[in-house]
Amino acid sequence: HYVDTITGNDKLICGSNRNHVYIYDIDNNNYEKLICKNKGGILSIDSFIDTRTNERIILTGNANNYDNNHTINVWNLNYKFNNIMYSMHGHNGYITSLINYYDFNTNTIMIVSGSTDNTIKVWEYENPNSIYTFEGHTDNVNSIGYYRDNDNVFIVSGSCDGTIKIWNTESKENIETLTEHTGSVSTIHICEYDNKNLIISGSRDNTIKIWDANTYECITTINNSHNDIINSIKTYCNDS
């Protein structure tokens, strides 16, 4: 299953490679609503609130082995079963990762997708066509994240080519490539700590690395904590 949370509503959005998307009620320990049956397994999922309408929007990225029609579907949680808002086409591979962010310069919700076609595409919400594509990885893009520096947004991507790339959404260029992992970079997580943006990466080399997003320096490497690939990373705040 690929899971996202609905903040403040005690809900989980779950997509599976059995082509289903469920909304689970955590309190009742049961699913609340089946949104759709997708054609092709779901490999990535994300969600956000459309603040204009206060409606929950869900993004699903699929892996279609039937006709190679790899799509990003955009759903409205308020709609009834099997009702899709629109689909976005453009990738030639599985959609492995989805994120969204708000562009304060254009007052637009932006959607970013990573794919096994080695590219990252950037889309405007409610526009089914990608507005630009980041190219530079030589293998599958496994995971993406973003951070802000003043008004600018930077996309971070981890790939099977063993690298982490940082992309400037203003200049639309790759501004840095991090190469210290010796295996596929399987997961990327961004957090802020001590007024500093940190990039946290997990890899098939069984290590976790923490990077300073401003200097691109690897601050810490966590070794010997896992004996297999690291697929996912999250952070939490310890208030004690």
PDB file of all heavy atoms in Angstrom, residues 25 98 106 124 131 156 168 184 219 239:
ATOM      1  N   ASP A  25     -10.909   5.416   8.025  1.00  0.00           N
ATOM      2  CA  ASP A  25     -11.195   6.147   9.253  1.00  0.00           C
ATOM      3  C   ASP A  25     -10.372   5.509  10.367  1.00  0.00           C
ATOM      4  O   ASP A  25     -10.621   4.363  10.757  1.00  0.00           O
ATOM      5  CB  ASP A  25     -12.690   6.080   9.568  1.00  0.00           C
ATOM      6  CG  ASP A  25     -13.081   6.981  10.718  1.00  0.00           C
ATOM      7  OD1 ASP A  25     -12.349   6.997  11.733  1.00  0.00           O
ATOM      8  OD2 ASP A  25     -14.112   7.656  10.611  1.00  0.00           O
ATOM      9  N   LEU A  98       4.945  11.583  -5.908  1.00  0.00           N
ATOM     10  CA  LEU A  98       4.146  12.786  -6.119  1.00  0.00           C
ATOM     11  C   LEU A  98       4.261  13.703  -4.911  1.00  0.00           C
ATOM     12  O   LEU A  98       4.206  13.237  -3.771  1.00  0.00           O
ATOM     13  CB  LEU A  98       2.668  12.429  -6.323  1.00  0.00           C
ATOM     14  CG  LEU A  98       2.263  11.770  -7.644  1.00  0.00           C
ATOM     15  CD1 LEU A  98       0.862  11.191  -7.526  1.00  0.00           C
ATOM     16  CD2 LEU A  98       2.333  12.775  -8.786  1.00  0.00           C
ATOM     17  N   THR A 106       3.014  32.897  -8.108  1.00  0.00           N
ATOM     18  CA  THR A 106       1.929  32.807  -9.088  1.00  0.00           C
ATOM     19  C   THR A 106       0.584  32.483  -8.451  1.00  0.00           C
ATOM     20  O   THR A 106      -0.425  32.400  -9.152  1.00  0.00           O
ATOM     21  CB  THR A 106       2.251  31.722 -10.131  1.00  0.00           C
ATOM     22  OG1 THR A 106       2.384  30.451  -9.466  1.00  0.00           O
ATOM     23  CG2 THR A 106       3.555  32.041 -10.856  1.00  0.00           C
ATOM     24  N   GLU A 124       0.859  22.556 -13.152  1.00  0.00           N
ATOM     25  CA  GLU A 124      -0.024  23.449 -12.416  1.00  0.00           C
ATOM     26  C   GLU A 124      -1.344  22.731 -12.151  1.00  0.00           C
ATOM     27  O   GLU A 124      -1.886  22.074 -13.044  1.00  0.00           O
ATOM     28  CB  GLU A 124      -0.298  24.721 -13.218  1.00  0.00           C
ATOM     29  CG  GLU A 124       0.897  25.629 -13.379  1.00  0.00           C
ATOM     30  CD  GLU A 124       0.584  26.853 -14.217  1.00  0.00           C
ATOM     31  OE1 GLU A 124      -0.401  26.795 -14.994  1.00  0.00           O
ATOM     32  OE2 GLU A 124       1.301  27.842 -14.106  1.00  0.00           O
ATOM     33  N   ILE A 131       4.187  21.796 -17.359  1.00  0.00           N
ATOM     34  CA  ILE A 131       4.714  23.079 -17.815  1.00  0.00           C
ATOM     35  C   ILE A 131       6.225  23.026 -18.050  1.00  0.00           C
ATOM     36  O   ILE A 131       6.747  23.817 -18.815  1.00  0.00           O
ATOM     37  CB  ILE A 131       4.340  24.215 -16.847  1.00  0.00           C
ATOM     38  CG1 ILE A 131       4.844  23.925 -15.421  1.00  0.00           C
ATOM     39  CG2 ILE A 131       2.842  24.433 -16.836  1.00  0.00           C
ATOM     40  CD1 ILE A 131       4.625  25.088 -14.469  1.00  0.00           C
ATOM     41  N   VAL A 156      14.069  18.218  -4.776  1.00  0.00           N
ATOM     42  CA  VAL A 156      15.140  17.261  -4.500  1.00  0.00           C
ATOM     43  C   VAL A 156      14.676  15.897  -5.000  1.00  0.00           C
ATOM     44  O   VAL A 156      13.563  15.465  -4.719  1.00  0.00           O
ATOM     45  CB  VAL A 156      15.446  17.192  -2.991  1.00  0.00           C
ATOM     46  CG1 VAL A 156      16.611  16.241  -2.728  1.00  0.00           C
ATOM     47  CG2 VAL A 156      15.740  18.582  -2.437  1.00  0.00           C
ATOM     48  N   ASN A 168      16.365  23.940  -9.281  1.00  0.00           N
ATOM     49  CA  ASN A 168      15.853  25.279  -9.002  1.00  0.00           C
ATOM     50  C   ASN A 168      14.615  25.510  -9.868  1.00  0.00           C
ATOM     51  O   ASN A 168      14.694  25.475 -11.096  1.00  0.00           O
ATOM     52  CB  ASN A 168      16.933  26.317  -9.323  1.00  0.00           C
ATOM     53  CG  ASN A 168      16.542  27.719  -8.910  1.00  0.00           C
ATOM     54  OD1 ASN A 168      15.405  28.131  -9.063  1.00  0.00           O
ATOM     55  ND2 ASN A 168      17.510  28.473  -8.397  1.00  0.00           N
ATOM     56  N   SER A 184      21.432   2.754  -5.048  1.00  0.00           N
ATOM     57  CA  SER A 184      20.229   3.483  -5.443  1.00  0.00           C
ATOM     58  C   SER A 184      19.674   4.293  -4.271  1.00  0.00           C
ATOM     59  O   SER A 184      19.604   3.807  -3.141  1.00  0.00           O
ATOM     60  CB  SER A 184      19.180   2.477  -5.925  1.00  0.00           C
ATOM     61  OG  SER A 184      17.922   3.089  -6.080  1.00  0.00           O
ATOM     62  N   ILE A 219      26.158  15.998   6.487  1.00  0.00           N
ATOM     63  CA  ILE A 219      26.435  16.263   7.892  1.00  0.00           C
ATOM     64  C   ILE A 219      26.656  14.970   8.660  1.00  0.00           C
ATOM     65  O   ILE A 219      27.552  14.865   9.504  1.00  0.00           O
ATOM     66  CB  ILE A 219      25.263  17.046   8.523  1.00  0.00           C
ATOM     67  CG1 ILE A 219      25.006  18.346   7.764  1.00  0.00           C
ATOM     68  CG2 ILE A 219      25.524  17.313   9.992  1.00  0.00           C
ATOM     69  CD1 ILE A 219      23.728  19.036   8.180  1.00  0.00           C
ATOM     70  N   ASP A 239       9.223  16.814  21.782  1.00  0.00           N
ATOM     71  CA  ASP A 239       8.956  18.010  22.595  1.00  0.00           C
ATOM     72  C   ASP A 239       9.295  17.821  24.056  1.00  0.00           C
ATOM     73  O   ASP A 239       9.128  18.739  24.860  1.00  0.00           O
ATOM     74  CB  ASP A 239       7.481  18.389  22.481  1.00  0.00           C
ATOM     75  CG  ASP A 239       7.118  18.834  21.079  1.00  0.00           C
ATOM     76  OD1 ASP A 239       7.975  19.456  20.435  1.00  0.00           O
ATOM     77  OD2 ASP A 239       5.980  18.566  20.646  1.00  0.00           O
TER      78      ASP A 239
END
